[in-house]
């Protein structure tokens, strides 16, 4: 065990401050060539073991014989209370734990841009952020969990940005389009390296997949936004599709995100045009669903969504139970 690994999670104020310059030295795994990706994977595989070893080693120098806590703010770190209309509130002075999480995420994003996702290790992220490797693994179990934290932050920012259109607009098409374009605006700063993440998100076994259990929280927030788009509009939708339409809107957003990842048009102009046409087409579909002549098709679409969309069967069962209780 080298001297760095022998240190336990240190207080966040100790050690070198965050770097803003070049890459610097990051250890054997940071060189160029094929060994970089392998080193990154090996770093993550040994991460939790290294964290435990660091904590145990640091305890030997403590008078009480106990390993120090990584950060006092961690024990009481809680998510901020919801703001108006359920949107996430942003405290003026976030706890130190939240500041450290944000610092690690920002540092990781910068290194992903500079070196690429596969060539960036957790050790490099910790060194550039000015925290110990143990502290980095305390907040994030690995690079994929770190990117999941980034996704959660994008979703939270999106929920805030869409408030003006949801609070004022009542036209369904304009509400849906406002939600789609708001996401594009929030995600715009990260477009240049989004394709590096897609190959991980496309893996159904990856926690970065939008259908994974790890993504359930972010997916739930997005679905809640789309439900509000429909519920707060003047659109009249058949009861059979009341639960399915928000799921369909969420899938449409995922399709838009996929197109955005690979869109190289100036200012992602093609993606914005796709959002406009997609919102218009969805609005037409909602209007047509009210006609009795199309009722068999509506029922078929409802059954299709219930069988295959994530969370749809649970939503239908929950609504049915609610109706039974009220009766």
């Amino acid at each position: 065990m080298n001297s760095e690994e022998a240190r336990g999670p240190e207080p966040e104020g100790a050690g070198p401050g965050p770097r803003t310059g070049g890459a610097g030295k990051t250890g054997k795994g940071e060189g160029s060539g094929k060994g970089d990706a392998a080193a990154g994977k090996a770093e993550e595989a040994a991460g939790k073991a290294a964290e435990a070893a660091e904590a145990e080693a640091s305890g030997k120098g403590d008078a009480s014989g106990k390993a120090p806590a990584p950060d006092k703010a961690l024990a009481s770190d809680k998510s901020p209370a919801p703001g108006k209309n359920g949107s996430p509130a942003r405290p003026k002075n976030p706890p130190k734990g939240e500041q450290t999480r944000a610092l690690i995420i920002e540092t990781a994003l910068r290194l992903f841009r500079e070196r690429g996702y596969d060539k960036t290790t957790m050790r490099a992220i910790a060194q550039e952020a000015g925290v110990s490797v143990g502290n980095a693994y305390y907040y994030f179990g690995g690079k994929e969990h770190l990117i999941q934290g980034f996704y959660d932050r994008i979703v939270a920012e999106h929920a805030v940005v869409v408030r003006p259109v949801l609070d004022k607009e009542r036209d369904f098409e304009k509400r849906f389009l406002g939600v789609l374009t708001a996401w594009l605006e929030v995600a715009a700063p990260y477009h240049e390296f989004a394709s590096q993440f897609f190959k991980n998100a496309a893996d159904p076994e990856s926690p970065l997949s939008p259908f994974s259990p790890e993504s359930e929280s972010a997916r739930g927030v997005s679905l809640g936004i789309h439900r509000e788009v429909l519920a707060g509009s003047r659109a009249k939708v058949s009861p059979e599709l009341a639960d399915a339409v928000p799921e369909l809107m969420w899938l449409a957003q995922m399709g838009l995100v996929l197109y955005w990842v690979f869109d190289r048009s100036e200012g992602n102009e093609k993606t914005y045009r796709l959002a406009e046409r997609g919102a218009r087409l969805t609005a037409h579909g909602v209007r047509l669903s009210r006609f009795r002549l199309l009722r068999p098709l509506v029922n078929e679409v409802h059954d299709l969504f219930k069988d295959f969309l994530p969370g749809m069967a649970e939503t239908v069962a929950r609504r049915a139970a609610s109706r039974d209780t009220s009766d």
Side-chain angles (χ1 to χ4, degrees), residues 192-208:
E192 61 182 287
F193 58 96
S195 60
Q196 299 180 37
F197 300 148
F198 175 73
K199 62 181 180 180
N200 294 285
D203 181 358
E205 301 299 324
S206 170
L208 298 184

Side-chain angles (χ1 to χ4, degrees), residues 284-303:
H284 287 327
V286 169
R287 285 192 291 269
L288 290 174
S289 70
R290 298 169 54 193
F291 291 94
R292 290 185 176 275
L293 182 63
L294 298 176
R295 189 57 55 84
L297 177 61
V298 169
N299 292 336
E300 183 67 25
V301 170
H302 174 266
D303 291 342

